[in-house]
């Protein structure tokens, strides 16, 4: 065997050892996390690894502070075994939600529990100025984070190349081909994972909302914009060009209103919060003595709270606006039901707060336009995590990638 070939052999054997070690580390850590407090012997039994390997790896986790011993379990004849579990506060993740109005973030522990939060107004900033707001927010949260920082998870609107964290296109922030993942990694020296906000939110609903064991889920985020996230077989689906779920810019109205993407009649122009508020303002201007007209008096710009109040007061004009928006969304949902036959669909985002009349319109239209067999088996509900879904989902993505841990409540 030549010198070069021997070198390659040695290298690949080394690489294999390293891979095996990383694999075993992940396996043991995940077992401590999912099953802890648990004895070393039980970890060996569950993983199929030798007791020596398990003891060595657990020893390393304990000395790193990632796991700790928490007393003794029941004896099965001999000496009572020492139990070990992951210390959820040994590492923290910063999760960010780069929303339309404000950038918000949280320090999250390994159980997905929020320890600190912070929020900075974006105030119409975009481009480099918006990037500076991201930096300030991370600095603020990192300064308050207890324990070691494992990394940063970011949920942002737009098309995101999740493999390297490059934002290919975020129309409202005027970001194009922005390498946000690399910029944050270099600036803060920790691993960073960037994903589309709707996809991050879908993962949070899947992990934290007690999905009843369903392997598949669609979460549709309806706010200023509209986007969906698909969890297929327990994994986020990104699509071939990282655009899976970008339903907001599918044209649904021929010769419709101009959209901020530059085209006309997109779903966002008829079903987003902006669309609902534009209709409400039109109705208010047309009838100053109506419920909405009185709410809009004295120059007050109508918001979703006003619309909610109109629904609560039984105002018919408000109800018609909300139902029309819900029906447009229902049409889009019917398309997803036909394409994917996923039976658990959750609606999240600010518009979901409009509640029953909107939800009923979405459900009714989705069923009406679906094959009976498929529509009948599909459950469409309002999501269970109200405000922190993007932050929690982005944090979870980082934990899955760095530690192989999927936090579940
Ligand atoms: Zn559009």
């Amino acid at each position: 065997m030549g010198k070069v070939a021997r070198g390659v052999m040695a290298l690949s054997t080394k690489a294999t050892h390293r891979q095996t070690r990383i694999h075993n580390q992940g396996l043991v850590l995940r077992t401590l996390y999912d099953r802890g407090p648990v004895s070393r012997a039980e970890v060996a039994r569950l993983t199929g690894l030798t007791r020596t390997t398990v003891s060595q790896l657990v020893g390393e986790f304990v000395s790193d502070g990632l796991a700790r011993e928490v007393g003794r379990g029941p004896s099965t004849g001999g000496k009572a075994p020492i139990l070990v579990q992951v210390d959820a506060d040994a590492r923290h993740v910063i999760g960010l939600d780069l929303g339309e109005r404000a950038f918000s973030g949280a320090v999250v522990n390994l159980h997905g529990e929020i320890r600190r939060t912070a929020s900075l107004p974006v105030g119409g900033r975009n481009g480099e100025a918006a990037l500076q707001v991201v930096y300030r927010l991370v600095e603020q949260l990192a300064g308050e984070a207890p324990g070691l920082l494992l990394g940063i998870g970011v949920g942002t609107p737009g098309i995101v190349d999740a493999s390297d964290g490059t934002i290919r296109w975020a129309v409202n922030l005027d970001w194009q081909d922005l390498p946000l993942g690399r910029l944050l990694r270099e600036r803060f020296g920790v691993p960073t994972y960037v994903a589309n906000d709707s996809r991050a939110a879908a993962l949070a609903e899947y992990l934290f909302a007690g999905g009843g064991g369903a392997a598949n889920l669609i979460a549709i985020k309806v706010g200023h914009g509209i986007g969906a996230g698909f969890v297929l077989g327990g994994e986020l689906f990104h699509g071939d060009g990282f655009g899976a779920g970008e339903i907001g810019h599918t044209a649904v109205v021929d010769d419709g209103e101009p959209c901020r993407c530059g085209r006309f009649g997109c779903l966002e122009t008829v079903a987003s919060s902006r669309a609902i508020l534009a209709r409400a303002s039109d109705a208010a201007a047309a009838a100053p003595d109506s419920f909405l007209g009185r709410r809009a008096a004295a120059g007050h710009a109508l918001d979703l709270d006003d619309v909610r109040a109109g629904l609560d007061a039984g105002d018919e004009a408000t109800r018609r606006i909300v139902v029309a928006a819900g029906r447009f969304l229902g049409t889009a949902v019917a398309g997803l039901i036909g394409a994917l036959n996923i039976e658990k669909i959750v609606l999240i985002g600010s518009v979901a707060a409009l509640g029953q009349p909107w939800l009923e319109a979405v459900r009714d239209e989705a069923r009406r336009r679906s094959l009976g067999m498929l529509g009948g088996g599909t459950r469409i509900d309002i999501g269970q995590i109200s405000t922190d879904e993007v932050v929690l989902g982005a944090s979870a993505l980082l934990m899955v990638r760095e530690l192989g841990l999927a936090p579940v409540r």
Side-chain angles (χ1 to χ4, degrees):
M1 195 186 287
K3 202 174 170 186
V4 173
R6 264 203 307 276
V8 170
M9 284 286 288
L11 200 69
S12 69
T13 310
K14 231 185 209 167
T16 310
H17 280 312
R18 205 176 110 75
Q19 274 164 5
T20 306
R21 198 179 143 69
I22 289 171
H23 173 79
N24 291 347
Q25 273 177 337
L27 205 56
V28 170
L29 188 63
R30 211 156 48 238
T31 307
L32 293 176
Y33 184 80
D34 293 340
R35 303 296 188 96
V38 62
S39 71
R40 289 167 174 83
E42 182 67 1
V43 173
R45 195 186 66 77
L46 289 165
T47 57
L49 298 173
T50 66
R51 284 191 182 214
T52 315
T53 303
V54 169
S55 289
Q56 191 197 342
L57 291 172
V58 169
E60 287 170 15
F61 292 142
V62 170
S63 64
D64 282 350
L66 198 51
R68 60 192 165 90
E69 297 181 337
V70 288
R72 289 182 182 274
S75 166
T76 50
K79 206 172 148 196
I82 296 171
L83 302 181
V84 186
Q85 70 179 25
V86 166
D87 182 355
D89 283 305
R91 301 285 188 280
H92 288 85
V93 172
I94 290 179
L96 300 183
D97 175 4
L98 308 186
E100 302 271 351
R101 301 276 165 76
F103 290 172
S104 55
V107 176
V108 178
N109 77 0
L110 295 181
H111 278 156
E113 291 159 342
I114 290 178
R115 293 298 191 220
R116 302 266 192 291
T117 59
S119 180
L120 291 173
V122 191
R125 287 186 196 83
N126 56 22
E128 175 65 25
L131 183 60
Q132 292 299 327
V133 178
V134 177
Y135 291 158
R136 280 218 310 283
L137 185 59
V138 175
E139 278 157 15
Q140 196 174 327
L141 287 165
E144 295 171 347
L148 288 170
L149 186 60
L150 180 68
I152 302 168
V154 185
T156 171
I159 309 258
V160 183
D161 183 337
S163 67
D164 65 358
T166 297
I167 298 171
R168 288 187 176 169
W169 186 60
V171 61
N172 58 310
L173 294 167
D174 193 22
W175 283 345
Q176 265 193 43
D177 295 321
L178 177 76
L180 184 64
R182 181 170 62 74
L183 292 171
L184 290 174
R185 260 193 302 279
E186 287 173 1
R187 193 177 178 99
F188 297 101
V190 290
T192 301
Y193 191 91
V194 185
N196 169 275
D197 54 359
S198 299
R199 255 125 275 166
L203 189 71
E205 279 290 332
Y206 180 77
L207 292 174
F208 298 124
N216 306 318
L217 170 141
I218 297 174
I220 305 174
K221 191 165 186 284
V222 190
H224 215 66
I226 300 175
F230 308 128
V231 178
L232 305 178
E235 304 255 342
L236 263 191
F237 180 70
H238 293 282
D240 290 339
F242 297 101
E246 286 298 318
I247 60 173
H249 295 286
T250 300
V252 294
V253 181
D254 290 334
D255 305 318
E257 290 178 22
C259 181
R260 55 186 177 158
C261 72
R263 295 175 320 118
F264 294 86
C266 294
L267 183 62
E268 285 191 7
T269 66
V270 287
S272 66
S273 63
R274 280 176 306 141
I276 292 170
L277 294 177
R279 303 294 176 281
S281 298
D282 290 349
D289 280 341
S290 66
F291 180 90
L292 290 170
R294 288 194 301 277
R295 296 284 286 208
H300 166 69
L302 292 175
D303 56 29
L304 285 177
D305 288 340
D306 296 308
V307 176
R308 174 80 245 187
L311 292 174
D312 290 346
D315 179 57
E316 181 55 23
T318 307
R319 198 192 66 81
R320 275 205 303 273
I321 290 167
V322 168
V323 166
R327 289 200 176 279
F328 274 115
L329 188 71
T331 304
V333 171
L336 297 178
I337 292 172
L340 293 165
N341 182 212
I342 289 177
E343 296 189 336
K344 184 174 167 60
I345 299 179
V346 295
L347 308 176
I348 55 180
S350 57
V351 174
L354 293 178
Q356 214 55 32
W358 177 74
L359 175 63
E360 283 308 325
V362 178
R363 281 178 174 163
D364 187 56
E365 197 66 18
R367 298 234 162 92
R368 208 169 65 76
R369 290 176 180 265
S370 298
L371 186 65
M373 230 181 99
L374 302 183
T378 305
R379 280 193 59 86
I380 303 171
D381 292 300
I382 305 274
Q384 292 179 34
I385 303 171
S386 55
T387 51
D388 301 315
E389 66 243 326
V390 175
V391 160
L392 288 173
S395 309
L397 279 165
L398 193 279
M399 286 179 215
V400 170
R401 168 163 293 194
E402 289 306 309
L403 295 178
L405 300 181
V408 179
R409 273 185 197 151

